[in-house]
């Protein structure tokens, strides 16, 4: 019995249909199937996929060995389960492997970048760690 056939089918289903459809509906950071392919393949091979696979042979995911294919499906399943927060982390790493900056976090989220000149988590009295070291941190709510 060929274990690859169901994995290849699941990869296609997740990367080419399910993840992009959910991403558009839920407004994830990435919505295009080729971007999901980049992210999933990069994490399956541990770096830029085109440094490991032949970008001239298409589709690239069919070149994955059995362990890499299993890893790719596992990554795609995790994205499906965890959604945009995990996708943002994986996309940022994929972009770093390419020497590119990560996309900014959506406004109003805990991972949103701090304004220039301020540390993330800074308040007018400093970061939470600075306040704690000075004993000026607000008491936590009961």
């Amino acid at each position: 019995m060929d274990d690859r056939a169901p994995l290849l089918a699941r990869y296609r289903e997740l990367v080419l249909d399910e993840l992009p459809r959910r991403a558009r509906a839920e407004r994830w950071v990435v919505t295009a199937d080729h971007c999901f392919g980049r992210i999933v393949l990069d994490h399956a091979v541990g770096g830029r996929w085109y440094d490991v696979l032949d970008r001239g042979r298409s589709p690239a995911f069919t070149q994955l060995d059995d362990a890499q294919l299993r890893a790719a499906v596992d990554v795609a399943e995790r994205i499906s389960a965890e959604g945009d927060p995990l996708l943002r982390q994986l996309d940022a790493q994929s972009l770093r492997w390419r020497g590119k900056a990560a996309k900014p976090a959506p406004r109003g989220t805990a991972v949103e970048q701090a304004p220039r000149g301020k540390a993330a988590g800074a308040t007018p009295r400093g970061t939470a760690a600075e306040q704690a070291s000075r004993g000026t941190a607000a008491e936590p709510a009961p």
Side-chain angles (χ1 to χ4, degrees):
M1 180 172 153
D2 184 9
D3 290 336
R4 287 183 63 83
L7 287 174
L8 288 167
R10 184 63 179 146
Y11 178 96
R12 283 185 186 96
E13 179 180 17
L14 286 163
V15 172
L16 301 177
D17 178 48
E18 182 179 319
L19 294 175
R21 184 173 24 84
R22 284 195 51 211
R24 287 187 297 275
E26 298 173 29
R27 304 191 68 184
W28 292 357
V29 67
V30 168
T31 59
D33 60 1
H34 66 273
C35 292
F36 281 104
R38 167 184 54 84
I39 294 164
V40 169
L41 288 174
D42 281 359
H43 286 277
V45 302
R48 296 180 309 187
W49 67 265
Y50 50 77
D51 290 339
V52 177
L53 306 173
D54 181 357
R55 68 169 35 172
R57 283 183 41 214
S58 190
F61 66 88
T62 61
Q63 299 174 51
L64 297 170
D65 65 28
D66 291 346
Q68 292 167 332
L69 180 57
R70 175 81 258 163
V73 171
D74 288 347
V75 168
E77 294 282 10
R78 281 189 59 215
I79 294 169
S80 181
E82 298 179 38
D84 192 58
L86 175 63
L87 180 59
R88 284 182 179 279
Q89 293 173 11
L90 299 176
D91 182 42
Q93 178 59 60
S94 176
L95 292 170
R96 276 193 301 275
W97 281 327
R98 287 164 171 69
K100 297 180 180 180
K103 297 170 184 101
R107 291 202 167 277
T109 65
V111 294
E112 183 178 357
Q113 292 179 342
R116 291 186 190 264
K118 289 190 174 184
T123 67
R125 297 184 303 178
T127 66
E130 291 167 339
Q131 290 176 24
S133 71
R134 292 191 312 260
T136 59
E139 291 295 317

